[in-house]
Amino acid sequence: MNTRDMTLSALIAAVIFISAQLSFPLPFSPVPITLQVFAVLLFPLILPLRIALTGILVYLFIGAVGIPVFAQFGGGIGVLLGPKGGYLLGFLLSTIACGLLNRQWPKASLVRNILIGAVGLTIIYTTGVLGLANALSVPLGKALTMGLYPFLPGDLVKLAAASVVALSVGRRVAHQFV
């Protein structure tokens, strides 16, 4: 990995950190609304998988060792093992899936970006809701009420926004990674 790739990966981690702090707590859920979904869906659509993946791994690693980069300035392994941990794992798995799909489906279009992002969002919600249910020992229905339904409308907007931004930015940067 060259200096440019390492710098981009660090910038990805920084953007995810900033988007995590733009959060709105919900009184009925330990999971706040953040802008992280936008960033997590955007980067694998515009950058090579190795760079997007390194960025999310850096973010997760520095959070796991205790630096307060997770939502609401959380940090430490306890966050990864708690109610928010499934979503954080979902960010990693979503980045991998979206990056692989982006590579396999190289002709960019808005529909393609939305479909790839929908796969990523599904992964985030699946791991997130299952992790929430497990961490809080609540039934799946309660976990859906706490960790999916209130988030879905906003996250669909973030998915659409990331898809549009990726289409515009991706055209400008694609030639740099050939």
Side-chain angles (χ1 to χ4, degrees):
M1 190 170 263
N2 60 34
T3 304
R4 178 198 63 190
D5 293 355
M6 288 187 289
T7 303
L8 286 170
S9 296
L11 285 171
I12 290 169
V15 168
I16 296 171
F17 159 68
I18 292 166
S19 67
Q21 304 322 313
L22 299 171
S23 67
F24 307 94
L26 299 174
F28 53 86
S29 177
V31 181
I33 294 173
T34 70
L35 288 179
Q36 289 172 291
V37 166
F38 172 80
V40 168
L41 295 178
L42 175 65
F43 291 117
L45 289 173
I46 61 173
L47 295 170
L49 176 58
R50 72 182 186 284
I51 297 171
L53 183 58
T54 303
I56 192 73
L57 286 170
V58 166
Y59 171 73
L60 293 172
F61 176 77
I62 62 179
V65 298
I67 298 172
V69 296
F70 297 142
Q72 300 169 312
F73 295 100
I77 200 75
V79 176
L80 292 174
L81 299 175
K84 300 172 189 172
Y87 295 95
L88 295 167
L89 172 62
F91 293 165
L92 173 64
L93 299 177
S94 173
T95 298
I96 293 168
C98 291
L100 289 172
L101 288 169
N102 188 41
R103 192 172 12 184
Q104 295 302 314
W105 193 358
K107 184 158 173 45
S109 73
L110 185 59
V111 170
R112 176 202 83 126
N113 288 355
I114 289 171
L115 291 173
I116 291 173
V119 169
L121 191 56
T122 301
I123 292 168
I124 292 167
Y125 278 137
T126 301
T127 59
V129 169
L130 291 175
L132 181 65
N134 184 56
L136 298 179
S137 299
V138 298
L140 187 56
K142 175 105 172 138
L144 289 168
T145 301
M146 295 170 65
L148 171 68
Y149 302 140
F151 298 88
L152 194 53
D155 284 346
L156 290 174
V157 170
K158 293 172 211 167
L159 164 61
S163 298
V164 169
V165 171
L167 193 58
S168 175
V169 173
R171 288 181 180 148
R172 293 185 177 115
V173 300
H175 68 281
Q176 297 178 24
F177 298 101
V178 176

